[in-house]
Amino acid sequence: MIKRDAYLNRIRPFMNKDLVKVITGIRRCGKSVMLKIIQQELQKNGVPADSILSYNFESMSLSHLCTAAALYQDVIARAQKLTGRIYLFFDEIQEVDQWEKAVNSFRADLDCDIYITGSNSKLLSGELATYLAGRYVEFVIYPFSFREFVELVHETQPDRAPADCFSQYIRYGGMPYLWELNYQDGPVRQYLLDLYNAVELKDIVRRKQIRDVGFLERVLAYVMANIGNTFSATTISKYMKSEGRKVSPETVLNYLHAGSEAFLFYPVKRQDLVGKRILSVQEKYYIADHGIRNAVIGGNERDINLILENIVFLELKRRGYDITVGKAGEKEIDFVAQRQSERIYIQVTYLLASEETIEREFGAYRNIRDNYPKYVLSLDEFDLSRDGIIHMNIRDFLLRQ
């Protein structure tokens, strides 16, 4: 079990504080393991194991506790047998009807420290979330980064080269459980397909009460095929019409939002770097794990430019950056990444194999006059930095702290 220190370091300052710790992310990305890591940390710091009450609402054994009233009664009954502060862990809390009422009551009635996980980004945006307004802090968990992937591989294969690890990472992605499957093609594909179906059915179809599942699947497949490309709901609507399916842009937009709420996709807005405004049309979308894409529609090696861009995007998200796509005149910057007062610009490409490619990637920065760091990332082994623009191998960028 990888400790995932980057996440733990962010959570530590809030442990034993009167704020609900909310851990979100796509299904099976490691949220449950993160709860176990936090519990281990608490016990290491002297918290008795008996003071930790843990509930996993994906288990049928807890189906009788999936209302706020039933959960409240069970926790209170268990807490009355304990002394001192108790630590409450609720995994996949969205399965509990009106869970916010129960959690807020625990805060009022018990000396407790609360941690919850959920697989929907709207977990705290509904009417009931007003019970927790200003009383929670959220942490998004992502599948394994390439650095975590290499760390795991090196536990059993310490001499394996990063380039070899990266080839495997491109194909399979970073879902943690794949390690248990020894990265065998058949079992990995089956697992990722099952994961995709669980997200689609449980977190999108059931939650949004979608009736036309076939059309939803076509929209999701379109987005997966076009990660990193700019498009709009109208673009997809016109495409579906050409395929003989008439559907409104509003319906498409609802499906796109549902995919994003389930953490399957991340939308990225475009920013006019000259006019300094966010553009309202033609977003880009990136998938939460490129291994899922390979299992569902295939072609990760064929679409290597898109996959590399997706990998870099997720790495920037892990590092806490807010990301937009930059537009500078006729040029487009893949990523404008902002973190407090820090800003970096990033171009991603497979190889700088021709002067035309070099000019396209480095020339994208020609109209940007500020002094923030500007990067071109590729899989070239030689440093081709020029004109103050930093060129790095993508693997080196992903592996650095």
Side-chain angles (χ1 to χ4, degrees):
M1 185 170 66
I2 286 186
K3 197 172 182 182
R4 311 203 81 175
D5 284 329
Y7 298 112
L8 190 57
N9 289 339
R10 293 176 194 167
I11 295 170
R12 272 196 189 102
F14 299 95
M15 294 169 74
N16 271 310
K17 299 294 192 298
D18 186 27
L19 289 169
V20 178
K21 274 65 71 177
V22 181
I23 298 171
T24 56
I26 190 171
R27 285 180 180 268
R28 306 185 200 171
C29 69
K31 300 187 299 295
S32 300
V33 171
M34 199 69 235
L35 291 187
K36 292 178 182 177
I37 291 171
I38 294 168
Q39 290 171 23
Q40 291 174 356
E41 179 86 357
L42 290 169
Q43 291 182 62
K44 187 177 73 174
N45 293 332
V47 172
D50 290 347
S51 297
I52 297 174
L53 306 184
S54 186
Y55 295 78
N56 183 351
F57 293 104
E58 286 207 307
S59 171
M60 281 294 293
S61 66
L62 298 184
S63 59
H64 63 293
L65 298 180
C66 286
T67 66
L71 177 60
Y72 178 80
Q73 290 170 8
D74 191 82
V75 170
I76 293 298
R78 294 177 67 184
Q80 287 173 346
K81 301 174 184 177
L82 303 171
T83 58
R85 169 165 283 197
I86 63 170
Y87 297 79
L88 301 176
F89 289 81
F90 303 117
D91 203 358
E92 298 296 352
I93 191 71
Q94 76 272 357
E95 302 299 329
V96 177
D97 186 39
Q98 296 189 323
W99 62 268
E100 295 97 330
K101 287 185 176 180
V103 169
N104 199 48
S105 294
F106 299 144
R107 293 183 63 258
D109 300 341
L110 298 171
D111 178 11
C112 62
D113 190 19
I114 304 174
Y115 302 81
I116 66 177
T117 77
S119 300
N120 192 282
S121 67
K122 299 302 181 185
L123 194 69
L124 289 158
S125 65
E127 291 180 11
L128 288 175
T130 56
Y131 284 97
L132 297 180
R135 302 185 183 97
Y136 69 89
V137 58
E138 184 177 8
F139 306 92
V140 180
I141 305 293
Y142 301 94
F144 282 157
S145 66
F146 179 55
R147 187 157 57 85
E148 289 175 317
F149 183 87
V150 170
E151 179 184 336
L152 193 62
V153 169
H154 281 178
E155 286 186 1
T156 56
Q157 304 172 60
D159 298 325
R160 191 169 175 191
D164 189 34
C165 293
F166 197 55
S167 295
Q168 189 174 37
Y169 187 70
I170 285 171
R171 174 173 293 185
Y172 297 128
M175 296 308 292
Y177 191 75
L178 300 188
W179 180 254
E180 301 291 336
L181 302 175
N182 296 316
Y183 293 97
Q184 300 176 71
D185 274 326
V188 163
R189 184 173 185 274
Q190 185 62 54
Y191 174 82
L192 292 175
L193 282 173
D194 288 346
L195 167 58
Y196 172 74
N197 289 332
V199 171
E200 179 189 319
L201 294 174
K202 292 184 179 180
D203 298 326
I204 300 178
V205 173
R206 190 178 71 182
R207 188 165 298 280
K208 294 296 183 179
Q209 298 181 336
I210 291 172
R211 292 190 294 272
D212 193 343
V213 178
F215 179 68
L216 170 69
E217 289 177 342
R218 295 180 74 175
V219 171
L220 298 181
Y222 182 95
V223 178
M224 282 190 282
N226 288 278
I227 57 171
N229 292 323
T230 52
F231 59 83
S232 65
T234 301
T235 306
I236 299 178
S237 178
K238 289 179 178 178
Y239 171 77
M240 294 300 172
K241 185 177 181 180
S242 73
E243 295 284 304
R245 290 295 304 270
K246 187 175 181 180
V247 64
S248 70
E250 288 77 18
T251 299
V252 173
L253 192 61
N254 288 337
Y255 288 177
L256 292 175
H257 285 165
S260 300
E261 288 173 11
F263 292 102
L264 182 60
F265 301 121
Y266 291 93
V268 183
K269 293 188 178 298
R270 297 166 70 233
Q271 177 183 4
D272 185 342
L273 298 173
V274 178
K276 302 190 184 303
R277 60 190 176 91
I278 297 296
L279 302 174
S280 59
V281 296
Q282 300 288 325
E283 290 182 325
K284 287 188 176 185
Y285 285 79
Y286 294 94
I287 192 166
D289 181 74
H290 54 280
I292 295 175
R293 180 190 190 272
N294 200 44
V296 176
I297 68 169
N300 274 12
E301 287 89 351
R302 181 188 66 238
D303 299 327
I304 186 65
N305 271 309
L306 301 182
I307 299 306
L308 293 175
E309 198 173 306
N310 202 101
I311 289 171
V312 171
F313 167 79
L314 285 177
E315 183 61 26
L316 293 171
K317 293 287 286 183
R318 288 186 191 94
R319 296 180 186 181
Y321 286 100
D322 294 319
I323 305 165
T324 56
V325 176
K327 183 178 181 298
E330 297 300 314
K331 306 289 186 180
E332 186 171 276
I333 309 300
D334 288 334
F335 302 122
V336 182
Q338 191 90 28
R339 188 172 59 186
Q340 288 140 13
S341 61
E342 175 191 359
R343 173 184 284 192
I344 58 175
Y345 300 98
I346 292 180
Q347 288 284 93
V348 183
T349 191
Y350 175 38
L351 292 171
L352 297 168
S354 66
E355 282 300 322
E356 181 182 359
T357 305
I358 293 172
E359 168 58 26
R360 183 185 70 235
E361 302 302 331
F362 285 86
Y365 294 121
R366 191 164 290 124
N367 294 328
I368 302 177
R369 306 299 182 185
D370 61 39
N371 293 318
Y372 292 114
K374 301 170 181 65
Y375 292 88
V376 172
L377 305 180
S378 75
L379 287 179
D380 295 278
E381 300 296 340
F382 301 102
D383 187 347
L384 300 175
S385 301
R386 59 177 64 185
D387 303 324
I389 300 167
I390 304 162
H391 172 244
M392 285 186 70
N393 185 285
I394 292 174
R395 295 190 305 271
D396 295 336
F397 178 81
L398 297 173
L399 289 172
R400 73 179 187 176
Q401 297 288 342

